[in-house]
Amino acid sequence: APMPGYTTRLLTIRLGGHDFRIRALSDLQQFADPTGSAHRAGISSSLWSLFGQIWPSGRVLAEAMSRFDIAGKRILELGCGLGLSSLVLAHRRADVVASDHHPLAESFLAYNAGLNDLPAVTYRDLPWSTPDTTLGSFDLIIGSDILYERDHAGQIAAMMLRHARPDAELLITDPGRGNSGPFTRAMAAQGYTVTEQRSRFDEKDVAPFRGRLLSYQRDTSIPVLKEPVH
């Protein structure tokens, strides 16, 4: 078989007391787009390798998912990258859909599920700016470091209008890039309040931690005016 044009490495990551084997890109220097699919998806060469790394915010979210109450919940992971949280959830037999817009996210997720003897994880290619009318709604929506560009706050707030059930919870890990303020205000307009738990994202972090686990929940006893769906 021809070489894919990028190199990978195998990592063992302990999450929720269980070892997961993960195939990741070797480093941030990797790039291959022989068919132009990344270019068409709007992913530049400088951003291409980001999906294939293990990030502290991804580990924090996956660790949270190892003990989160998942009973009866339909769960969506946004910007899953290597899908650590979705793999942890699959290990717990949760009803989870992993989503991303990177052309390789699906194959890496499938490979990593196989490495860990897990059933295939449902995957959806989900660009945030394009409505997906077939995806349906969820009880829990999760994402790690998904507010890394300024316009992401508005896009994800719109995703919540489309895919969050009335009593849904959104749980995101944010390393403290400064875009969570506008996002929290956008969510407040939809009736959500935020609970913030500051957390250590790597060993070098010292208090007060910049990294945080943000939980957005709605008081369903208060009626919320939904924006018209265009």
Side-chain angles (χ1 to χ4, degrees):
M3 292 301 289
Y6 56 84
T7 58
T8 61
R9 56 186 172 149
L10 276 179
L11 305 169
T12 299
I13 302 195
R14 194 159 186 84
L15 297 162
H18 181 81
D19 282 339
F20 288 84
R21 298 184 70 223
I22 301 293
R23 179 173 73 169
L25 290 177
S26 298
D27 52 51
L28 287 168
Q29 268 46 69
Q30 301 305 312
F31 174 69
D33 191 23
T35 63
S37 55
H39 179 74
R40 285 192 298 279
I43 299 163
S44 67
S45 58
S46 61
L47 296 176
W48 186 92
S49 66
L50 299 185
F51 94 95
Q53 314 295 328
I54 300 293
W55 298 100
S57 47
R59 293 179 92 132
V60 170
L61 184 65
E63 189 62 43
M65 285 304 106
S66 72
R67 44 178 198 274
F68 204 83
D69 176 18
I70 56 168
K73 292 178 185 173
R74 185 173 189 234
I75 307 168
L76 172 66
E77 182 176 10
L78 297 174
C80 69
L82 291 174
L84 273 195
S85 287
S86 286
L87 292 166
V88 167
L89 289 164
H91 176 70
R92 297 182 64 197
R93 300 290 184 262
D95 177 6
V96 61
V97 175
S99 70
D100 204 297
H101 193 40
H102 194 290
L104 289 182
E106 182 173 17
S107 59
F108 270 73
L109 182 70
Y111 188 91
N112 286 330
L115 271 183
N116 294 283
D117 299 318
L118 295 170
V121 178
T122 303
Y123 177 84
R124 291 291 279 266
D125 176 61
L126 191 66
W128 296 342
S129 52
T130 313
D132 182 328
T133 55
T134 64
L135 185 58
S137 56
F138 295 84
D139 305 288
L140 174 63
I141 297 176
I142 61 172
S144 61
D145 197 11
I146 53 176
L147 300 172
Y148 55 89
E149 286 176 15
R150 189 160 295 177
D151 57 352
H152 288 164
Q155 290 176 357
I156 293 165
M159 291 285 283
M160 292 298 290
L161 279 177
R162 297 196 284 264
H163 301 298
R165 289 178 180 162
D167 57 350
E169 178 175 1
L170 171 68
L171 194 71
I172 57 179
T173 49
D174 177 59
R177 295 186 193 279
N179 295 327
S180 63
F183 180 68
T184 295
R185 287 192 292 279
M187 293 300 288
Q190 292 184 35
Y192 290 86
T193 52
V194 65
T195 311
E196 178 177 297
Q197 184 185 334
R198 299 216 166 221
S199 57
R200 174 179 272 119
F201 275 31
D202 61 50
E203 292 70 41
K204 297 187 290 293
D205 282 359
V206 291
F209 303 126
R210 286 188 65 205
R212 59 200 75 186
L213 189 63
L214 301 167
S215 164
Y216 296 86
Q217 286 178 290
R218 193 144 51 182
D219 181 347
T220 50
S221 65
I222 303 168
V224 175
L225 291 170
K226 283 203 72 153
E227 292 175 27
V229 180
H230 297 295

